[in-house]
Amino acid sequence: MPEGPDVHLVMDNYATHKTPKIKAWLARRPHWHIHFTPTSASWIHQVERWFAKLTRKQLQRGVHRSTAELEADITAFIEAHNENPKPYRWVKSADEILASVKRFCQRTQQTICIEI
């Protein structure tokens, strides 16, 4: 992407995103801003949400006698999903979500929760 508008990239907290090579690449691109999701917050990662839906709706109760059957089931789900795709829309603001996380931390007395 050419220099110009700022680019905000949200990634999970996986260590590969924090290697010296990645840090050096980002240092040369000051208009790129990286935001990491909190540890153990896979619910915020849309790809993981999609795979959870695939698992829940197509694979969980399925019986696959071979890899080919499993692949066929996954392909069928993808094709059906792509016939009428709908983007996920957040129904709460970031402030509402963070307030909910804060209440959870207070209720469960979690010391590991993100600082809000």
Side-chain angles (χ1 to χ4, degrees):
M1 179 158 192
E3 203 161 323
D6 283 357
V7 177
H8 292 267
L9 183 61
V10 178
M11 297 189 290
D12 61 21
N13 226 334
Y14 201 54
T16 57
H17 305 316
K18 301 174 183 177
T19 63
K21 190 173 185 177
I22 297 296
K23 287 180 179 180
W25 188 90
L26 290 167
R28 294 189 308 271
R29 293 160 178 86
H31 65 289
W32 282 69
H33 307 278
I34 306 302
H35 308 278
F36 292 103
T37 59
T39 304
S40 301
S42 60
W43 57 270
I44 212 167
H45 196 298
Q46 296 305 303
V47 171
E48 291 188 34
R49 291 184 57 82
W50 189 88
F51 277 108
K53 184 177 181 179
L54 165 67
T55 301
R56 188 177 63 254
K57 294 193 172 217
Q58 187 76 18
L59 303 177
Q60 207 162 33
R61 293 189 173 95
V63 175
H64 306 99
R65 294 180 186 90
S66 68
T67 304
E69 286 183 11
L70 174 62
E71 289 177 2
D73 244 9
I74 293 170
T75 300
F77 179 83
I78 292 169
E79 288 172 356
H81 175 80
N82 287 341
E83 285 176 11
N84 187 21
K86 294 181 180 146
Y88 182 81
R89 291 193 189 354
W90 292 106
V91 294
K92 292 188 176 187
S93 69
D95 288 338
E96 289 171 312
I97 292 169
L98 292 173
S100 176
V101 171
K102 185 175 183 178
R103 286 191 304 274
F104 170 78
C105 292
Q106 290 170 339
R107 188 173 64 247
T108 61
Q109 298 181 345
Q110 296 288 321
T111 57
I112 306 172
C113 282
I114 59 173
E115 182 65 32
I116 299 174

